[in-house]
Amino acid sequence: PAVVRSAAPPVGASGAPRSGLRTALLGAGAFGRGILWPAFAAAGLVPLRLVTATGPSAAETARKLGFARHGTSADEALADPDVDVVVIATPHDTHAELVARALDAGKHVFAEKPLAVDDAGLDRVVTALGEARGLLGVGFNRRSSPAARRAGAFLSGAAGPTVITYRVNAGPAPDAGWLADAARSGGRLVGEACHMIDLATFLAGERPVRVAAAGTRSLVADGAEDDVSLTLAMSGGSLVTVVYHATGDPASPKERIEAVRGDRLVVIDDFRGVLESRDGKAVRTKLAADKGHAAGARAFVDAVRAGGPPPIPYEDLVAVTRATFAARRSLESGRFEVV
């Protein structure tokens, strides 16, 4: 899809320019109201409309978060001419359609990951992007973390393909609610491993082109995606391995990423520290725990204000999302699948 290169300043119903980016937040679950919206409020988005699944809690949640209008209708929020930005924090299976409709309505859109849970939904988004006047961002926050930025800068000093090993100690999958329903969440490969594939895409500076997946359980077993190994061949020759498991000791770090390019090796330890090694010398840097939610929100808001380009290239968003679908197909076929 084409990159949006410019965006008109927001205007009110009267057509007069206005300051501030008035926002509709769709979904006010624990993540939306506790992590996502505070990051966007700090980045400068102005609360206007809150949309929740049920009405009784909407008024109190809207009051606490500072939204002047509230309700249960996404249609009303998308049709509101006063809304400049739509932030989507609804169940995963609703993302693609809401993103496409918001883009069709001329809004800037930020959707929590995943962008889509199937090819049909992603195709709908790609079509909407072709005519979009607003920018699209997706909650692949790890690439915005201080650890990832530092690691990427260190690797940039070397040439050649990158070999990345990414281990995830995910813990048990939810056993209740919509996240436990693979049809709604997309399952752990689509709903969670997209984070890992995106960070590897960022660090390698390449997009996935082929994916192979293998699991420890039969395809019909409950929790078949809990313990999976992915191998991704990247567009420039880099190689990525993601080992995602739900059975490790919870005291172990949740995420560890090791990347090698040329004579350089970098290790990210749970986004709390980075090791940089070259010429036999290693430097360790401790960091405050930060997976990039605030920085990702700022990058999106800054891009909207500047009129583009989008904070994450659309080609990356599409390739990462399709790679999760390819991984799911590979679990069934037992062979490499093309992204």
Side-chain angles (χ1 to χ4, degrees):
V3 172
V4 176
R5 301 187 182 279
S6 63
V11 296
S14 66
R18 63 170 179 248
S19 60
L21 292 166
R22 300 186 193 183
T23 304
L25 173 62
L26 311 186
F31 182 81
R33 68 175 182 269
I35 295 177
L36 197 61
W37 178 249
F40 277 110
L45 293 188
V46 178
L48 178 62
R49 297 192 72 115
L50 177 69
V51 177
T52 59
T54 57
S57 63
E60 180 62 15
T61 303
R63 184 189 65 80
K64 289 181 178 179
L65 298 181
F67 286 85
R69 308 172 195 172
H70 61 83
T72 60
S73 173
D75 291 339
E76 291 181 3
L78 298 181
D80 189 339
D82 291 334
V83 170
D84 305 306
V85 179
V86 175
V87 175
I88 298 169
T90 53
H92 295 171
D93 62 325
T94 67
H95 289 184
E97 183 62 20
L98 289 172
V99 166
R101 289 169 55 199
L103 289 172
D104 289 345
K107 314 298 186 185
H108 301 287
V109 187
F110 184 94
E112 181 45 31
K113 59 77 189 168
L115 179 56
V117 298
D118 55 33
D119 282 301
L122 186 57
D123 290 344
R124 173 80 170 90
V125 171
V126 170
T127 298
L129 280 171
E131 301 296 330
R133 290 179 287 136
L135 294 179
L136 172 64
V138 175
F140 292 144
N141 49 277
R142 281 162 175 74
R143 65 163 62 204
S144 297
S145 68
R149 294 292 176 180
R150 186 179 185 98
F154 181 70
L155 290 171
S156 69
T162 311
V163 177
I164 299 173
T165 305
Y166 199 139
R167 181 193 55 75
V168 187
N169 183 24
D175 58 6
W178 66 264
L179 281 170
D181 181 354
R184 302 194 70 193
S185 69
R188 303 194 89 175
L189 279 177
V190 172
E192 294 183 20
C194 57
H195 267 314
M196 291 77 229
I197 297 173
D198 179 71
L199 180 53
T201 296
F202 169 75
L203 292 175
E206 303 170 16
R207 299 182 181 103
V209 293
R210 292 188 302 137
V211 183
T216 60
R217 308 181 189 182
S218 70
L219 294 175
V220 295
D222 182 43
E225 294 184 4
D226 279 0
D227 302 295
V228 178
S229 177
L230 307 180
T231 300
L232 297 103
M234 308 297 280
S235 57
S238 293
L239 186 66
V240 176
T241 301
V242 178
V243 178
Y244 186 101
H245 62 83
T247 54
D249 184 348
S252 174
K254 185 173 181 180
E255 298 178 43
R256 178 182 172 89
I257 306 101
E258 180 178 298
V260 178
R261 183 188 299 160
D263 63 346
R264 301 190 178 207
L265 177 146
V266 64
V267 179
I268 298 174
D269 275 317
D270 221 15
F271 302 93
R272 298 173 182 268
V274 176
L275 179 147
E276 299 161 298
S277 181
R278 183 188 181 199
D279 296 330
K281 299 178 181 179
V283 176
R284 296 179 183 271
T285 302
K286 291 185 177 180
L287 301 168
D290 185 346
K291 290 184 178 178
H293 291 103
R298 287 196 303 272
F300 174 75
V301 173
D302 288 348
V304 169
R305 287 175 173 153
I312 301 176
Y314 294 157
E315 295 84 356
D316 283 13
L317 298 180
V318 173
V320 167
T321 305
R322 292 211 190 277
T324 65
F325 305 157
R328 194 164 52 188
R329 294 196 305 272
S330 181
L331 272 182
E332 298 175 358
S333 70
R335 60 177 180 266
F336 269 100
E337 294 286 341
V338 176
V339 172

